[in-house]
Amino acid sequence: MTAGNDETEGRPPIFHSMIAGGLGGTTGDMLMHSLDTVKTRQQGDPHFPPKYSTFGSSYYTIWRQEGIRRGLYGGWLPAMMGSFPGTVLFFGTYEWSKRHMLDYGVQAHISYLTAGFLGDFAASIVYVPSEVLKTRLQLQGRFNNPHFKSGYNYRSTFDAARTIVRKEGITELFSGYKATLYRDLPFSALQFMFYEQFQSWAREWKDSRDLGVRLELLTGAAGGGLAGVLTCPLDVVKTRLQTQIDPVPVPVLSKPKDRATTNTQSGIKESTAKQTMSTTTSSSQIRPISTSSPSTSLPRPGAIPLDEDSIIKGLRVIYKTEGIGGWFRGVGPRFVWTSVQSGCMLFLYQTILRQLETWVPGERKEMAN
């Protein structure tokens, strides 16, 4: 099996893979963070009609109105804090499990696919809480943002974490955990299966293990971009689960508040009834997003909260209210982000591995023996 033999010919130490993956992954994430912000704004925009539509106009609007640091790069700190340890865990688990499966004779594509699943599952304990913080801060923009009302208004990353834990509980940091796994496990598995296959084809075509800069970037970008498009519907569900507020009944604390509580609950029932009526009687009125404003427990007209217990139900709700276009909202920036980020990350990964080999030349030979 050619792919397996290629793997055995040059296996760097797993520690080298972890360091190279951590540095490459974090660098790629930071380079493409602004595109991820645009994608998050498009998917989580609670306004009707939506403020952000096309990728180019959305990017320019955020840059012009909110700037780079607080606008396009809002949420960069939690992204970086989750990216490095997450990619370190991912590449360590991926390389270890992939090598063992190949050594036991498991078919190459199955090994790559399974190792991608296992690697992302190991990393999820780190990146999911950071993903919640990052997503909310990206949707919010700067503090007291006059240009976009997301419903969130945190002063900083640490204020966001403290506020979420105090008001919503620590489990809220794992909001959308299942949806994130449903998105990222298939994405990572497909990304690395495509990448390894594209690498194998490129080596056969060039008849060399040294592919050069262009092919290294192209194979990484193709694997990430293709996987990103295929998993876009799951990404939409994940984003909305992490930014929506579940409608909860207001507790009765004292008698003076009974009237307000009754009014609020009747308002919820009335809103629900109107929402159901508008959904059944007017098929032309399509809600482009499924996220209610986090500033209130009352959903905006047409907004249907997604059920976190079922990803399939979430996909069905989006399809019924928005059509297939709802599944692929933000697919443009997601494709650009995943392809460029994947190309940069995997190119840097291979480059750093080669550099580490020159610094510690003996270890790779020992691994090969």
Side-chain angles (χ1 to χ4, degrees):
M1 188 161 50
T2 305
N5 293 335
D6 288 344
E7 284 290 338
T8 309
E9 285 178 10
R11 289 182 175 180
I14 291 180
F15 179 72
H16 285 191
S17 297
M18 295 171 71
I19 296 299
L23 294 175
T26 304
T27 303
D29 286 344
M30 290 299 100
L31 286 174
M32 305 309 299
H33 186 82
S34 61
L35 299 182
D36 187 55
T37 298
V38 175
K39 180 217 70 171
T40 300
R41 289 284 183 95
Q42 287 183 333
Q43 292 179 347
D45 187 352
H47 302 96
F48 185 82
K51 179 177 180 178
Y52 304 107
S53 53
T54 65
F55 168 69
S57 64
S58 301
Y59 195 100
Y60 176 74
T61 299
I62 297 172
W63 171 74
R64 180 174 53 84
Q65 293 182 343
E66 304 175 44
I68 296 177
R69 182 172 177 268
R70 293 291 188 180
L72 291 172
Y73 269 79
W76 70 270
L77 183 58
M80 184 177 66
M81 292 171 64
S83 179
F84 183 77
T87 47
V88 165
L89 286 172
F90 174 85
F91 276 93
T93 305
Y94 175 79
E95 286 293 332
W96 183 86
S97 55
K98 178 187 72 174
R99 295 175 188 185
H100 278 71
M101 283 186 285
L102 289 173
D103 290 343
Y104 279 100
V106 178
Q107 204 270 341
H109 293 92
I110 302 299
S111 299
Y112 303 146
L113 195 71
T114 307
F117 269 104
L118 295 175
D120 203 88
F121 183 76
S124 64
I125 192 67
V126 175
Y127 72 71
V128 170
S130 69
E131 182 82 3
V132 172
L133 293 172
K134 182 205 74 169
T135 302
R136 292 193 180 190
L137 289 170
Q138 284 177 316
L139 196 62
Q140 166 193 310
R142 71 190 195 194
F143 181 64
N144 288 331
N145 190 351
H147 304 289
F148 182 70
K149 302 300 181 183
S150 66
Y152 299 112
N153 199 28
Y154 306 118
R155 294 180 180 273
S156 64
T157 300
F158 298 103
D159 178 59
R162 183 172 59 249
T163 302
I164 291 171
V165 171
R166 185 177 70 250
K167 293 186 176 181
E168 304 175 58
I170 194 169
T171 56
E172 187 64 23
L173 290 175
F174 290 89
S175 174
Y177 185 77
K178 184 188 296 185
T180 303
L181 291 183
Y182 269 90
R183 178 201 68 172
D184 287 350
L185 292 183
F187 171 77
S188 295
L190 292 171
Q191 176 190 23
F192 277 82
M193 184 184 73
F194 292 148
Y195 170 67
E196 298 275 12
Q197 183 60 65
F198 295 156
Q199 284 262 308
S200 177
W201 286 342
R203 287 168 184 157
E204 290 179 8
W205 177 72
K206 200 171 182 180
D207 196 22
S208 172
R209 289 189 61 86
D210 185 10
L211 301 182
V213 175
R214 290 184 180 179
L215 280 178
E216 288 282 7
L217 288 171
L218 182 60
T219 53
L226 184 55
V229 170
L230 292 176
T231 56
C232 187
L234 300 174
D235 183 51
V236 173
V237 175
K238 188 277 307 182
T239 299
R240 297 184 185 183
L241 284 174
Q242 290 184 330
T243 55
Q244 77 179 0
I245 288 293
D246 299 326
V248 293
V250 180
V252 181
L253 300 178
S254 59
K255 288 189 176 181
K257 293 185 178 180
D258 287 346
R259 183 181 181 87
T261 303
T262 304
N263 291 339
T264 301
Q265 291 175 342
S266 63
I268 293 177
K269 293 179 181 179
E270 183 178 353
S271 174
T272 304
K274 290 181 178 179
Q275 175 181 310
T276 304
M277 185 181 300
S278 64
T279 302
T280 55
T281 59
S282 178
S283 59
S284 61
Q285 183 180 4
I286 298 176
R287 171 75 174 173
I289 59 99
S290 297
T291 305
S292 60
S293 172
S295 62
T296 174
S297 62
L298 298 178
R300 293 177 179 270
I304 302 177
L306 302 184
D307 182 5
E308 192 165 344
D309 292 332
S310 176
I311 307 303
I312 303 300
K313 286 182 181 179
L315 291 171
R316 287 176 181 172
V317 166
I318 293 174
Y319 179 75
K320 287 180 180 179
T321 55
E322 307 169 38
I324 196 169
W327 282 357
F328 289 92
R329 176 164 293 277
V331 68
R334 177 164 172 80
F335 169 75
V336 175
W337 188 91
T338 53
S339 58
V340 178
Q341 190 272 348
S342 180
C344 292
M345 176 187 72
L346 294 170
F347 170 73
L348 289 172
Y349 171 70
Q350 296 292 348
T351 302
I352 295 171
L353 276 181
R354 287 191 291 269
Q355 188 62 47
L356 289 173
E357 183 182 3
T358 62
W359 290 343
V360 192
E363 289 194 38
R364 189 177 184 122
K365 295 179 182 178
E366 292 173 6
M367 286 292 299
N369 292 332

